[in-house]
């Protein structure tokens, strides 16, 4: 396969996955804003995750259009700014994933934890402050200190991303371990508690899938960025960046990150009960399904897996056995 052919395939794949990712995440944000059932405090960080992934997809899409082989136009230093925006929004995305895990871990670990102590307004304030602080950090360094900007983009950011992945995985490990410990003490005759234990595990496994897919899709890109930074410092032979295997891994890492932008909303909408219950109604609003069919599916979902039951599953389990308040389900 020629170099030009490989470049076309790479850029077309990036454009395709970024477009799908931007559409899915934008649709997720619209659904959370328009559907009252989805406008909940526990969904603030999920909304922030969708927003960050949408911005990442748009930045990557535009960047690949300008970098497309034999494209006749270049807009100043636009590519560098788009890389800055892409990386900055990716960091926000991973920190949102970590925030979701920490929030649910606090429900377990903090006594008398409730919505009064950690409100939706506080979650929104944290997200807004995060966007402002990181935007100023990334773009000011890009504008006024190129060396510091390179360090931030190619060293600090991948390290933060990998750190967020590790901390998120540990958080869900401790949560799942405690749920298993609690459910093991549930008597078989307590059918309601047994069902709630299964529902709690289901929700945690859902977010674990997000962590697993994120890990698989991001590790290669982060490692490639660190190698590039090492080559910039002279710690790695600069000729390494021109080797075929490095170029292939670098392209693969970027493609996997773009695929991850699709996986996050897909996993959340197909596995979280409250989102899955609203999916027929959202599709019906877009004219994707017949009204009667949508209502029938929605009724079936309500009868088979009540969102109220899912939301109270872990709460009732821990309240029954540990006398603490918990609500990890969405």
């Amino acid at each position: 396969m020629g170099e030009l052919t490989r470049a076309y395939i790479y850029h077309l794949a990036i454009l395709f996955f970024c477009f799908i990712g931007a559409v899915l995440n934008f649709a997720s944000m619209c659904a959370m804003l328009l559907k009252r059932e989805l406008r909940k405090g526990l969904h603030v960080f999920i909304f922030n995750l969708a927003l960050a992934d949408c911005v990442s997809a748009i930045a990557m899409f535009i960047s690949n259009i300008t970098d497309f082989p034999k494209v006749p136009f270049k807009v100043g230093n636009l590519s560098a700014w788009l890389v800055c925006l892409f990386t900055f929004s990716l960091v926000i995305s991973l920190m949102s994933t970590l925030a979701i895990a920490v929030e649910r871990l606090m429900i377990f670990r903090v006594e008398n934890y409730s919505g009064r102590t950690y409100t939706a307004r506080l979650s929104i304030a944290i997200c807004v402050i995060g966007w402002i602080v990181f935007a100023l950090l990334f773009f000011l360094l890009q504008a006024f200190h190129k060396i510091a900007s390179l360090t931030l983009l190619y060293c600090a950011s991948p390290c933060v991303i990998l750190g967020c992945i590790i901390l998120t995985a540990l958080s869900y490990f401790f949560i799942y371990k405690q749920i298993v410990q609690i459910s093991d003490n549930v008597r078989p005759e307590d059918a309601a508690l047994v069902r709630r234990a299964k529902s709690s595990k289901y929700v945690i496994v859902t977010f674990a899938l997000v962590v697993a897919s994120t890990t698989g899709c991001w590790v290669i890109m982060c490692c490639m960025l660190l190698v590039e930074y090492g080559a910039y410092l002279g710690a790695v032979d600069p000729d390494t960046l021109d080797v075929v295997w490095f170029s292939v891994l670098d392209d693969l890492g970027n493609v996997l990150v773009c695929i991850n932008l699709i996986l996050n909303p897909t996993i959340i909408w197909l596995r979280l009960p409250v989102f899955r219950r609203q999916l027929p109604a959202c599709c019906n609003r877009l004219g994707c399904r017949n009204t009667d069919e949508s209502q029938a599916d929605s009724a079936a979902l309500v009868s088979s897996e009540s969102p109220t039951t899912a939301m109270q599953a872990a709460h009732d389990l821990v309240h029954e056995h540990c006398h603490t308040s918990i609500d990890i389900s969405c």
Side-chain angles (χ1 to χ4, degrees):
M1 181 184 298
E3 185 68 23
L4 185 60
T5 303
R6 186 174 69 85
Y8 274 118
I9 293 175
Y10 164 74
H11 285 284
L12 288 174
I14 292 289
L15 292 175
F16 173 77
F17 290 127
C18 285
F19 176 78
I20 299 298
V23 170
L24 289 178
N25 284 285
F26 181 76
S28 297
M29 290 188 294
C30 290
M32 282 185 271
L33 290 175
L34 296 175
K35 299 295 291 185
R36 182 173 57 84
E37 294 83 355
L38 298 178
R39 292 198 300 268
K40 298 177 180 179
L42 282 173
H43 298 164
V44 171
F45 291 124
I46 295 179
F47 180 89
N48 200 53
L49 172 63
L51 175 60
D53 285 347
C54 185
V55 173
S56 299
I58 294 173
M60 192 67 162
F61 185 90
I62 298 175
S63 177
N64 274 267
I65 288 179
T66 60
D67 293 339
F68 206 84
K70 297 186 178 181
V71 171
F73 64 90
K74 298 291 180 182
V75 185
N77 200 28
L78 178 62
S79 180
W81 289 100
L82 289 172
V83 170
C84 187
L85 176 62
F86 174 70
T87 308
F88 139 66
S89 53
L90 287 183
V91 172
I92 293 289
S93 174
L94 259 294
M95 297 193 75
S96 298
T97 305
L98 176 60
I100 295 171
V102 170
E103 184 180 37
R104 283 151 180 77
L105 184 62
M106 288 176 62
I107 293 173
F108 272 98
R109 298 297 183 180
V110 179
E111 188 175 358
N112 297 325
Y113 180 94
S114 67
R116 294 181 179 179
T117 58
Y118 196 77
T119 64
R121 290 183 179 180
L122 179 58
S123 299
I124 294 173
I126 291 173
C127 293
V128 171
I129 292 172
W131 279 95
I132 294 174
V133 170
F134 279 98
L136 290 175
L137 177 63
F138 275 79
F139 291 116
L140 286 178
L141 288 181
Q142 173 66 26
F144 300 107
H145 204 299
K146 299 299 182 183
I147 296 178
S149 179
L150 286 174
T151 302
L152 181 62
L153 292 174
Y154 290 90
C155 181
S157 294
C159 288
V160 169
I161 290 173
L162 293 175
C164 287
I165 292 174
I166 294 172
L167 292 175
T168 303
L170 288 175
S171 297
Y172 284 123
F173 172 77
F174 289 127
I175 294 173
Y176 189 80
K177 185 177 179 181
Q178 186 161 351
I179 290 178
V180 171
Q181 182 180 358
I182 295 171
S183 60
D184 287 342
N185 296 325
V186 176
R187 295 187 300 274
E189 57 269 20
D190 293 333
L193 288 179
V194 170
R195 287 195 302 271
R196 290 165 181 167
K198 291 181 179 179
S199 179
S200 300
K201 291 180 182 179
Y202 182 89
V203 172
I204 293 302
V205 169
T206 297
F207 286 108
L209 287 175
V210 173
V211 176
S213 63
T214 299
T215 303
C217 293
W218 291 49
V219 167
I220 294 179
M221 187 199 74
C222 291
C223 292
M224 294 301 101
L225 289 176
L226 292 174
V227 172
E228 290 183 38
Y229 186 70
Y232 172 77
L233 294 179
V236 177
D237 186 359
D239 293 336
T240 303
L241 305 183
D242 298 325
V243 178
V244 175
W245 66 263
F246 181 87
S247 299
V248 172
L249 285 179
D250 190 40
D251 291 349
L252 177 62
N254 290 331
V255 171
L256 287 176
V257 168
C258 295
I259 292 176
N260 184 247
L261 302 178
I262 300 175
L263 291 179
N264 284 344
T266 301
I267 293 172
I268 289 173
W269 277 93
L270 294 183
R271 285 190 58 91
L272 289 184
V274 67
F275 279 84
R276 192 171 70 250
R277 188 175 70 90
Q278 295 299 321
L279 185 58
C282 294
C283 291
N284 183 57
R285 170 169 286 192
L286 294 175
C288 299
R289 305 185 63 178
N290 180 271
T291 303
D292 295 336
E293 180 185 355
S294 174
Q295 291 176 348
D297 290 347
S298 181
L301 281 171
V302 171
S303 61
S304 63
E305 185 175 13
S306 169
T308 303
T309 301
M311 291 181 65
Q312 295 299 324
H315 179 282
D316 292 338
L317 272 174
V318 178
H319 182 74
E320 179 75 19
H321 296 280
C322 302
H323 305 289
T324 57
S325 173
I326 176 173
D327 180 10
I328 62 168
S329 303
C330 289

